[in-house]
Amino acid sequence: MATTSRSGPGPGPDEEDSTPAMRRLRRLSLHLLQPSDRLAPEGANSLVPAACAGKRRTGGLDADAAALTAYLRGRHRAMQARVYEFYVARPELQTPVELPTAAHRELCFRQMSALVRDAGVRPLSLMANDPAEYFAVMEAVGGLDISLAIKVGVQYSLWGGSVINLGTKKHKEKYFDKIDNLDYTGCFAMTELHHGSNVQALQTTATFDPVTDEFIIDTPNDGAIKWWIGNAALHGKFATVFARLILPLQGKGGEPADMGIHAFIVPIRDLETHAVLPGIEINDCGHKIGLNGVDNGALRFCAVRIPRDNLLNRFGDVARDGKYTSSLPTINRRFAATLGELVGGRVGLAYSSVGVLKVAVTIAVRYALLRQQFGPPKQPEISVLDYQSHQHKLMPMLASAYAFHFARAYLVDKYSEMKKTDDEDLSADVHVLSSGLKSYITSYTAKAISICRESCGGHGYAAVNRFGGLRNDHDIFQTFEGDNTVLLQQVAGDLLKQYQQKFKGGTLSVTWNYLRDSMSTYLSQPNPVTARWEGEDHLRDPNFQLDAFRYRTSRLLHSVAARLQKHMKTLGGFGAWNRCLNHLLTLAESHIESVILARFIEAVKSCPDEKTREVLKLVCDLYALDRIWKDIGTYRNVDYVAPNKAKAIHKLVDYLSYQVRLVARELVDAFDIPDQIIRAPIGMQSEAYSQYTQCVGF
């Protein structure tokens, strides 16, 4: 919203300005309304105005939303548009704001059935042939209802993915098409009441009976009840059950041999009547904080017999005579290979979480541009996004949404490449990369949704404006497919492994290559000259930004390795790891931030349109410098950044936040999210207040 400009530094004195307090308020008002194009010179006594009004400063960046959209738009945007249009044309399939759990579950199943049977989308085929298109579909259906995205994910990423990734040709021939067309609805039964993240400690057993050529699936105690199993309470007909494979008489002294965790296809309901099969007990996990369109259930097995062929035997098999064979020599190697094939779920969650963040930021930014509150005396009210405090809340978040967008594209490309090859190094790289990005992005988005809600004031609390539903539905993203704290430890563990290889002269995986150079840099003291450089060109140099991120990671890695070595002498391996755990988590997050920034910088360089590239460079600079400022203590502690440079970074972050605010509307419009997917009245592109009042009956 444009405001009336003033030709002088301020109005002449009048009755309102008769006190020092009122004169100061007038001065502060000018600070809000008339910014300098440049940062104030160091030590200047005068208050340099900083405009926060809707009017753009002369010479500012011009952002073209259409050009930004064209660059952001993935190659599968047409498929997303097809999904959006399908559901918009079917109002009976759209999820209302208020819906009882039972009705939500049935609607969610109808939404998924319509996607497959009416719209003709075949998610399992997409996942097998073009994972990027599959993830694009997942984001699109998540725009309709996050419960739908999770239900589709359970059916195809988890149930279908376990069959095609852990099974062999016979399983694909028997199950693939019927999973794809929803004839065979299924579950992914890994988590137990007593064990979630610690999959190797699962207690469910699958004992081979050589007489009948069957496996006997048993729940030995209540702690082994399969828990939180999506699709189990109502709709699932099969379950991929993760259990300990037990071979009688093949252990030492004729004892049973425990061959470790394997996956088995277990029918749980009759294909015709849908009745629960004998020996299986299913109970409903009940109403949840969110995702109530997904029917989570608990499964108990009592001597349930399945054919030997139902063992998903890609990494280990049992012959008719009970002999066990595997191309992998140890339980740990087989376990790692099994879990390594299931990373698609983590990739999908990271991908979808970025979509949720885009929706939340879009609603918050559009409302902040619309909402006017306070202003100088006798002047129009100004948009709340014109306040520096609001820019501080939302602009780095908008920059993060862009950074995550390019990082997830990189992750999907790496995952797609992995599915086409048998490269073990690439598989290990994708496993750790997906763990780190899933953890970092979902944790960030969970916090961001709450900040977006707060930034929208009371109207953000209305259910129709979506923040409550987004927060509740997304919150579990931090837990399933791997608890975020556990996943970060996997990243830290791999970094330490790479660190050890570095000093043994080994090669580093592609994502970790930067450690070779930055570790050498770390071993020398920071340059006292560059530590004081505070010029804007230097601070906005991507080389400085990326070097700073990587220096921090390298320092954290070197120091935690030394701490672990020290504590192992007295505490042992487990005790030392626990003593250094917070240090390790910080290391993992730092590494992932380095990966994200590197992908963002590369995306900026690759942008063919000059104006769009300039806008993206601005957003990238804000992302990088905001992260450096938020961890400025680390850089100050080691004299990587001198006090004057730290101050300059802080000021530049504020300035860049203001600059991004000037193009904030175009930046969120470039996400190209249809209003029917945004749905929040306060987040509409036009007539927001009118649509909001209509929602409550006016």
Side-chain angles (χ1 to χ4, degrees):
M1 187 66 142
T3 61
T4 304
S5 62
R6 300 182 184 276
S7 58
D14 56 27
E15 289 184 2
E16 292 181 345
D17 293 331
S18 60
T19 67
M22 289 306 300
R23 286 196 295 273
R24 180 163 177 76
L25 283 173
R26 177 71 70 182
R27 196 69 167 172
L28 288 171
S29 296
L30 291 175
H31 175 63
L32 283 171
L33 289 171
Q34 296 178 352
S36 166
D37 284 355
R38 307 293 297 172
L39 299 176
E42 191 67 34
N45 293 322
S46 60
L47 181 62
V48 177
C52 298
K55 183 169 65 178
R56 293 204 177 103
R57 68 178 179 87
T58 303
L61 285 176
D62 289 323
D64 184 340
L68 277 165
T69 297
Y71 188 59
L72 292 178
R73 182 175 288 168
R75 56 192 175 90
H76 298 302
R77 180 61 183 180
M79 171 59 89
Q80 288 188 316
R82 173 184 162 194
V83 172
Y84 290 148
E85 291 166 5
F86 171 75
Y87 284 116
V88 167
R90 299 279 296 271
E92 77 278 6
L93 295 177
Q94 295 169 24
T95 306
V97 175
E98 298 181 55
L99 196 63
T101 296
H104 195 178
R105 289 173 169 183
E106 288 307 313
L107 174 61
C108 198
F109 186 75
R110 285 193 287 113
Q111 290 169 334
M112 181 169 67
S113 297
L115 175 74
V116 174
R117 293 169 176 167
D118 298 343
V121 176
R122 288 292 183 266
L124 194 61
S125 296
L126 294 179
M127 189 174 70
N129 300 320
D130 189 349
E133 187 168 14
Y134 171 76
F135 293 127
V137 168
M138 287 285 286
E139 182 181 31
V141 298
L144 179 73
D145 188 336
I146 299 178
S147 283
L148 174 59
I150 299 305
K151 195 165 184 70
V152 170
V154 169
Q155 171 68 16
Y156 295 105
S157 293
L158 298 182
W159 155 234
S162 63
V163 172
I164 65 174
N165 292 319
L166 301 180
T168 49
K169 182 180 178 181
K170 62 184 178 184
H171 300 111
K172 296 171 189 175
E173 290 176 347
K174 181 175 181 179
Y175 292 98
F176 189 101
D177 289 340
K178 293 189 176 182
I179 292 174
D180 211 9
N181 66 19
L182 279 181
D183 284 349
Y184 285 178
T185 50
C187 319
F188 184 83
M190 177 180 281
T191 297
E192 295 177 355
L193 179 61
H194 283 185
H195 291 94
S197 297
N198 188 4
V199 178
Q200 280 189 296
L202 296 179
Q203 299 177 72
T204 301
T205 59
T207 304
F208 182 62
D209 182 349
V211 176
T212 61
D213 197 27
E214 294 172 316
F215 288 104
I216 305 170
I217 310 297
D218 264 310
T219 303
N221 55 63
D222 285 353
I225 295 172
K226 295 295 182 180
W227 208 272
W228 291 125
I229 309 305
N231 275 358
L234 291 176
H235 301 129
K237 296 176 180 178
F238 295 85
T240 295
V241 176
F242 288 80
R244 315 193 74 81
L245 196 164
I246 307 297
L247 297 177
L249 306 176
Q250 295 196 27
K252 292 183 179 179
E255 293 293 316
D258 183 344
M259 308 307 295
I261 303 299
H262 289 65
F264 303 83
I265 296 175
V266 181
I268 60 173
R269 287 186 172 92
D270 186 275
L271 290 176
E272 300 297 328
T273 67
H274 206 62
V276 176
L277 294 174
I280 297 172
E281 181 182 354
I282 303 178
N283 284 294
D284 197 321
C285 289
H287 188 78
K288 306 181 293 292
I289 291 174
L291 297 179
N292 281 299
V294 182
D295 52 312
N296 293 90
L299 301 171
R300 188 204 302 268
F301 304 97
C302 182
V304 176
R305 290 179 172 269
I306 59 172
R308 179 169 53 88
D309 276 352
N310 284 27
L311 167 65
L312 294 172
N313 60 338
R314 178 179 173 187
F315 298 115
D317 202 4
V318 176
R320 177 66 186 88
D321 61 3
K323 182 180 179 181
Y324 184 84
T325 57
S326 174
S327 59
L328 302 172
T330 66
I331 287 178
N332 286 342
R333 288 282 302 277
R334 292 193 292 271
F335 178 74
T338 297
L339 292 193
E341 285 298 320
L342 303 176
V343 299
R346 291 173 189 166
V347 176
L349 285 181
Y351 196 102
S352 296
S353 186
V354 178
V356 173
L357 178 61
K358 288 179 180 178
V359 170
V361 171
T362 297
I363 296 169
V365 168
R366 285 180 178 166
Y367 179 70
L369 289 164
L370 170 73
R371 183 71 166 182
Q372 295 179 328
Q373 210 71 274
F374 304 112
K378 299 181 181 179
Q379 292 295 316
E381 292 184 299
I382 65 173
S383 298
V384 295
L385 195 55
D386 290 331
Y387 288 97
Q388 188 183 63
S389 57
H390 222 70
Q391 294 168 12
H392 179 72
K393 287 179 183 177
L394 295 182
M395 296 303 94
M397 189 187 301
L398 177 55
S400 294
Y402 269 77
F404 298 166
H405 172 90
F406 295 115
R408 78 171 186 182
Y410 174 69
L411 174 61
V412 170
D413 286 345
K414 297 281 283 186
Y415 176 77
S416 299
E417 182 184 352
M418 181 198 80
K419 298 303 292 182
K420 296 175 183 177
T421 68
D422 293 321
D423 188 328
E424 290 187 6
D425 290 338
L426 178 60
S427 296
D429 195 15
V430 171
H431 171 71
V432 178
L433 186 62
S434 64
S435 296
L437 286 173
K438 181 268 185 187
S439 176
Y440 188 88
I441 291 172
T442 59
S443 292
Y444 184 95
T445 298
K447 296 179 180 72
I449 293 169
S450 291
I451 294 171
C452 288
R453 201 295 306 158
E454 178 193 350
S455 74
C456 292
H459 294 318
Y461 200 62
V464 73
N465 286 322
R466 306 268 332 263
F467 292 118
L470 290 173
R471 179 194 61 208
N472 291 349
D473 285 346
H474 177 275
D475 195 62
I476 193 62
F477 281 38
Q478 300 173 91
T479 302
F480 58 24
E481 291 297 314
D483 174 86
N484 282 358
T485 302
V486 174
L487 294 182
L488 286 176
Q489 290 180 72
Q490 294 181 12
V491 176
D494 198 74
L495 283 166
L496 287 164
K497 177 183 174 183
Q498 300 284 343
Y499 176 80
Q500 185 180 38
Q501 290 181 353
K502 151 78 178 174
F503 287 101
K504 288 182 177 179
T507 59
L508 300 178
S509 60
V510 175
T511 306
W512 279 246
N513 267 340
Y514 73 86
L515 291 173
R516 181 181 297 109
D517 298 324
S518 55
M519 280 307 305
S520 300
T521 302
Y522 165 73
L523 294 175
S524 60
Q525 291 298 313
N527 186 325
V529 177
T530 58
R532 295 188 58 79
W533 286 354
E534 59 180 274
E536 183 177 333
D537 289 344
H538 167 66
L539 297 180
R540 296 185 68 174
D541 184 342
N543 292 321
F544 158 70
Q545 296 164 3
L546 198 53
D547 284 348
F549 274 49
R550 290 174 169 178
Y551 179 88
R552 178 185 54 170
T553 303
S554 299
R555 176 177 174 79
L556 287 165
L557 178 55
H558 183 79
S559 57
V560 80
R563 286 186 65 203
L564 285 167
Q565 188 175 32
K566 171 188 171 183
H567 290 305
M568 279 183 185
K569 296 175 182 177
T570 56
L571 301 176
F574 181 85
W577 187 270
N578 195 34
R579 176 66 65 87
C580 301
L581 186 52
N582 289 336
H583 194 158
L584 290 159
L585 298 177
T586 303
L587 164 65
E589 289 179 337
S590 177
H591 169 65
I592 293 302
E593 286 178 350
S594 297
V595 173
I596 292 170
L597 178 60
R599 303 327 305 171
F600 201 169
I601 290 171
E602 182 60 34
V604 173
K605 290 180 179 177
S606 301
C607 181
D609 179 72
E610 182 178 356
K611 287 187 177 180
T612 301
R613 187 166 61 250
E614 289 177 358
V615 174
L616 290 174
K617 176 66 166 63
L618 169 67
V619 177
C620 185
D621 288 341
L622 177 57
Y623 172 77
L625 292 171
D626 178 69
R627 288 305 314 137
I628 292 172
W629 172 248
K630 280 183 167 60
D631 200 20
I632 199 66
T634 295
Y635 296 104
R636 286 288 302 114
N637 285 342
V638 296
D639 293 324
Y640 190 82
V641 169
N644 66 305
K645 189 170 188 173
K647 185 176 181 180
I649 291 170
H650 188 196
K651 292 173 67 177
L652 187 52
V653 167
D654 286 344
Y655 180 72
L656 293 175
S657 292
Y658 162 69
Q659 291 292 309
V660 171
R661 175 263 174 270
L662 294 179
V663 292
R665 186 186 304 278
E666 291 84 355
L667 287 169
V668 296
D669 287 352
F671 291 147
D672 197 24
I673 307 173
D675 278 352
Q676 296 89 343
I677 300 303
I678 294 292
R679 293 200 301 282
I682 63 171
M684 294 293 103
Q685 296 187 61
S686 62
E687 300 182 349
Y689 279 137
S690 174
Q691 294 192 51
Y692 191 18
T693 55
Q694 288 177 22
C695 281
V696 299
F698 287 102

